[in-house]
Structure formats: C-alpha cells, structure tokens
Amino acid sequence: MQCDYFDRGACRSCTLMGQPYGDQVLDKELRTRELLHDAVEAAGGPGTVEWLPPITSPESGYRNKAKMVVGGTVQRPTVGILDERQRGVDLRHCGICTPGIQRALPVLADFVAYAGLIPYDVRQRRGELKYVLVTESPDGDLMVRFVLRSEGQLPRLREHLPVLQQALPQAVVVTANLLPEHKAVTEGDREVPLTAQETLPMRLGPVTMHLRPQSFFQTNTAVAAQLYAQATRWVDEVGAASMWDLYCGVGGFALHAARPGRAVTGIETSREAIASAKQSAREAGLAGVRFAADDATAHALRARAGTTPQLVVVNPPRRGIGAELARWLEASDVRHVVYSSCNPVTLAKDLAAMPSLRLERVRVLDMFPQTGHLEAVTLLARR
C-alpha cells in the first residue's frame, strides 16, 4: 500500500507502511511462533500443535472506525492527528479507513466549519470539539460521534444536524460525547443521542450485532467475521454443551457460537455493550444465551461447584487475562479454552500460567495491516 501522508512524513502511525504485505504477515506469524515457543514445547513439541494458515486482510480500506482529532480553526478545521507541537494534521483521506469513512471525513470537516464548532486547542486548553469518531457498518451505515468539552456547542449541533443528515444520509446514528477533562483519552462517560436511532447494526454473516456508541467492536470487519467463524468451528468440534464468553463486548463469540441445546453466557464490564448484546440475542430469538455486566475474573471466582462450563472463550484487552483468572482456569474443570489475543506477549505469559491446558491449535489473523499489531486465536484442551 502507498500512502502520501506517510511518504511526506505527515503521519507515521502505520509503522509497516511500504513493507510488502506478504512479509508483514510472515513476520507476524514468526513473532507469534517465537513468543509461544515454550507453550508449544510444553504441549509436546512443534509437531503436536497445529498452526493454521494466517488469515489475511485487504491491505487498505479495512479500518471500520476512525478516531480523528479535530484541530485547526473554525474556518479551516483539520481531522486527523496532532503533530509534536500539538497542531492539527489533516488526514481526511486516510487510506486504511473503509471507503465509506473516507467519503464521510471531508463532509464532516466541512460540517464542522459550517456549524461553527470550535476545535479544541490542546496547548491553550481552549475550544470545544476534541474528536470526531466515525464507525461504518458492513451495510455502509455510519455512526458519528462528536466529542465535546462541554454542552456549550450542543445547541449548534442540534440546530445544524439536518444539514449533516442531508449531506451524509448514511449517518444513521449521531451523538455528542462529553469529555470535560484535559487528559489523554478519546471519550467521556456521558453520551447525548442526537438521532432517534441509537445503535448501529453490524451484520456479520448470519449474526447481526447492535453497536452502541461506547461499545467495543473489532476494528477490521472482514477479519472479525473470520475470527468468530474460526472460534465457532472449534466450539462445535469439541461439542461444548455449555460456554462462557468472557470479555464478550457486544457478544461476538457468544452470538456466533449459540446453538440449540448449548447454554451460553457472555460477561462484560461495559453495560452499554451488554445492552447491545441482549438486544442482538433477543432479535435473533436466542433463548439459550444470557449476558450480564460483570468483571470476568470476579464472575469466574464466584462460580459454584458444578456450575462451570465445558468451554470458556476469553478475548481480553492487551494486558491479558491476568494471574488470578489464569489460576482459576488452571484449577477448574473447564475442558477447553478458546483464547483470542491482540497481544502475543501477554498470551504467552497467560499460557505459561495454565500448564494443565495444552495448546492444540493456533491461528494468526492480520487484523491491523500496515502495523505491527495482530490477533492470534488459540484452542487449549485439558490434559
């Protein structure tokens, strides 16, 4: 992939830009193999662990969510990043974003100027509009979120919303997020809906998930669909009659693996995500699926004897599942674990803490082309 922003030094976020794509994928798999070396040896050597072929992605146009810093001035706003001097760098034509987002960003920049929304100046700590966050669904609909310092510009947003909807009819969900603090986070706790529709349907094959503004969803829709499909095949192959989906987000693994006769429970700390997952399960008529807002580790530690599932799916943040949950899984009677990780370093650490769960299969998924990040999904079985 070629990127003008990268070539002229305006943006270096995609650290592998310019490297042949095949080399990127190979390097990621080799790095994962190296990090999981000890787990492979503990499983009985390389020949006993099945490494499935890596799942690749389109090199460009894959990112379904854009987190754009708003800079510049009211008359000439920028949407992109900040440089080393905290000045706005415009990336409205970023090539890793999905085509729908690429078309939307110039429209949104024009709307910021038209509505007179004041970009936030990080150096001066003045202004109102901090970020524009855009998510595209597989069907081409958009969720647009304006991250504001205060309620001061809400009247302007509401007044001019019809102009935005006319210019960008794909924006079916529009909200304002309030982030009054001056700190390095992208969004605040309070979300103000500006449209009647408040969820973005994310249709992946046979499953439609509802995404709310503050819910996590995998960045690469095409690869996410293959991730859920791979995990579901493993769940079906081992014949699990009961399953927990820990760190379930909006319920991707749970909803895809739901089957008649299989009891499925999804656990996630975000109440917004759980509300989305419940809506998806209800609309799909999945009576055997339950979702609850809870901490994954706390949920496991409270489990009574005889209530643990046959299989557990874990999809933690970059820090991994941690020592406490790893100890619980090691001591439990859970027969299989599907561990999906965005950080093979913490994946390897967690596997080392669960020696009774033997590594059987591994698959690397290139969720983040042009960067060093990856997703790896593994199947573990009780010895």
Side-chain angles (χ1 to χ4, degrees), residues 9 41 92 111 120 177 229 260 263 287 296 331 335:
E41 289 299 307
R92 68 182 68 185
F111 174 74
Y120 183 68
N177 177 274
R335 301 305 306 167

Tab-separated table of all heavy atoms in Angstrom, residues 9 41 92 111 120 177 229 260 263 287 296 331 335:
chain	number	residue	atom	x	y	z
A	9	GLY	N	5.936	12.230	5.539
A	9	GLY	CA	6.239	12.342	6.958
A	9	GLY	C	5.156	12.995	7.778
A	9	GLY	O	5.385	13.319	8.951
A	41	GLU	N	6.395	-26.207	23.273
A	41	GLU	CA	7.238	-27.264	23.837
A	41	GLU	C	6.511	-28.004	24.955
A	41	GLU	O	6.594	-29.234	25.064
A	41	GLU	CB	8.535	-26.653	24.368
A	41	GLU	CG	9.484	-26.164	23.280
A	41	GLU	CD	9.929	-27.279	22.364
A	41	GLU	OE1	10.429	-28.294	22.880
A	41	GLU	OE2	9.752	-27.152	21.134
A	92	ARG	N	-7.861	13.474	6.327
A	92	ARG	CA	-9.229	13.146	5.937
A	92	ARG	C	-9.310	12.125	4.810
A	92	ARG	O	-10.375	11.582	4.540
A	92	ARG	CB	-9.997	14.419	5.572
A	92	ARG	CG	-9.532	15.105	4.305
A	92	ARG	CD	-10.328	16.375	4.068
A	92	ARG	NE	-10.020	17.393	5.078
A	92	ARG	CZ	-10.651	18.562	5.160
A	92	ARG	NH1	-11.636	18.844	4.314
A	92	ARG	NH2	-10.315	19.436	6.086
A	111	PHE	N	-18.706	20.180	7.647
A	111	PHE	CA	-19.808	20.436	8.589
A	111	PHE	C	-19.306	21.158	9.828
A	111	PHE	O	-19.995	22.037	10.360
A	111	PHE	CB	-20.479	19.121	8.978
A	111	PHE	CG	-21.530	19.284	10.039
A	111	PHE	CD1	-22.762	19.846	9.736
A	111	PHE	CD2	-21.282	18.894	11.353
A	111	PHE	CE1	-23.730	20.004	10.714
A	111	PHE	CE2	-22.240	19.053	12.337
A	111	PHE	CZ	-23.477	19.607	12.020
A	120	TYR	N	-10.842	22.143	19.643
A	120	TYR	CA	-10.155	22.259	20.926
A	120	TYR	C	-8.657	22.447	20.689
A	120	TYR	O	-8.033	21.693	19.942
A	120	TYR	CB	-10.400	21.008	21.757
A	120	TYR	CG	-9.801	21.047	23.137
A	120	TYR	CD1	-10.285	21.918	24.103
A	120	TYR	CD2	-8.756	20.189	23.474
A	120	TYR	CE1	-9.766	21.939	25.385
A	120	TYR	CE2	-8.221	20.199	24.758
A	120	TYR	CZ	-8.724	21.082	25.706
A	120	TYR	OH	-8.191	21.092	26.974
A	177	ASN	N	-20.552	13.249	22.624
A	177	ASN	CA	-19.947	12.696	23.826
A	177	ASN	C	-19.275	13.829	24.584
A	177	ASN	O	-18.601	14.668	23.968
A	177	ASN	CB	-18.925	11.618	23.455
A	177	ASN	CG	-18.212	11.050	24.669
A	177	ASN	OD1	-17.219	11.595	25.129
A	177	ASN	ND2	-18.733	9.959	25.185
A	229	ALA	N	-15.898	-17.011	13.088
A	229	ALA	CA	-16.169	-18.280	12.418
A	229	ALA	C	-15.185	-19.354	12.867
A	229	ALA	O	-15.570	-20.513	13.098
A	229	ALA	CB	-16.116	-18.104	10.900
A	260	PRO	N	-28.943	-24.495	19.504
A	260	PRO	CA	-29.965	-25.140	20.338
A	260	PRO	C	-29.321	-26.194	21.237
A	260	PRO	O	-28.516	-27.011	20.790
A	260	PRO	CB	-30.896	-25.795	19.307
A	260	PRO	CG	-30.726	-24.976	18.062
A	260	PRO	CD	-29.285	-24.558	18.060
A	263	ALA	N	-25.826	-23.940	26.341
A	263	ALA	CA	-26.014	-22.820	27.266
A	263	ALA	C	-24.823	-21.879	27.145
A	263	ALA	O	-23.681	-22.283	27.363
A	263	ALA	CB	-26.135	-23.337	28.689
A	287	ALA	N	-32.765	-18.077	22.828
A	287	ALA	CA	-33.235	-18.242	24.197
A	287	ALA	C	-32.160	-18.800	25.122
A	287	ALA	O	-32.206	-18.587	26.331
A	287	ALA	CB	-34.454	-19.163	24.209
A	296	ALA	N	-14.907	-10.164	34.456
A	296	ALA	CA	-14.683	-11.552	34.038
A	296	ALA	C	-14.085	-12.394	35.163
A	296	ALA	O	-14.562	-13.502	35.444
A	296	ALA	CB	-13.778	-11.580	32.807
A	331	ALA	N	-7.052	-24.359	37.730
A	331	ALA	CA	-7.574	-25.226	38.789
A	331	ALA	C	-8.991	-25.729	38.515
A	331	ALA	O	-9.478	-26.617	39.222
A	331	ALA	CB	-7.551	-24.479	40.124
A	335	ARG	N	-12.964	-27.874	30.292
A	335	ARG	CA	-12.278	-28.809	29.407
A	335	ARG	C	-11.521	-28.121	28.282
A	335	ARG	O	-10.457	-28.588	27.855
A	335	ARG	CB	-13.290	-29.790	28.794
A	335	ARG	CG	-14.071	-30.610	29.793
A	335	ARG	CD	-13.170	-31.379	30.746
A	335	ARG	NE	-12.195	-32.221	30.028
A	335	ARG	CZ	-11.146	-32.793	30.594
A	335	ARG	NH1	-10.894	-32.598	31.884
A	335	ARG	NH2	-10.332	-33.551	29.892
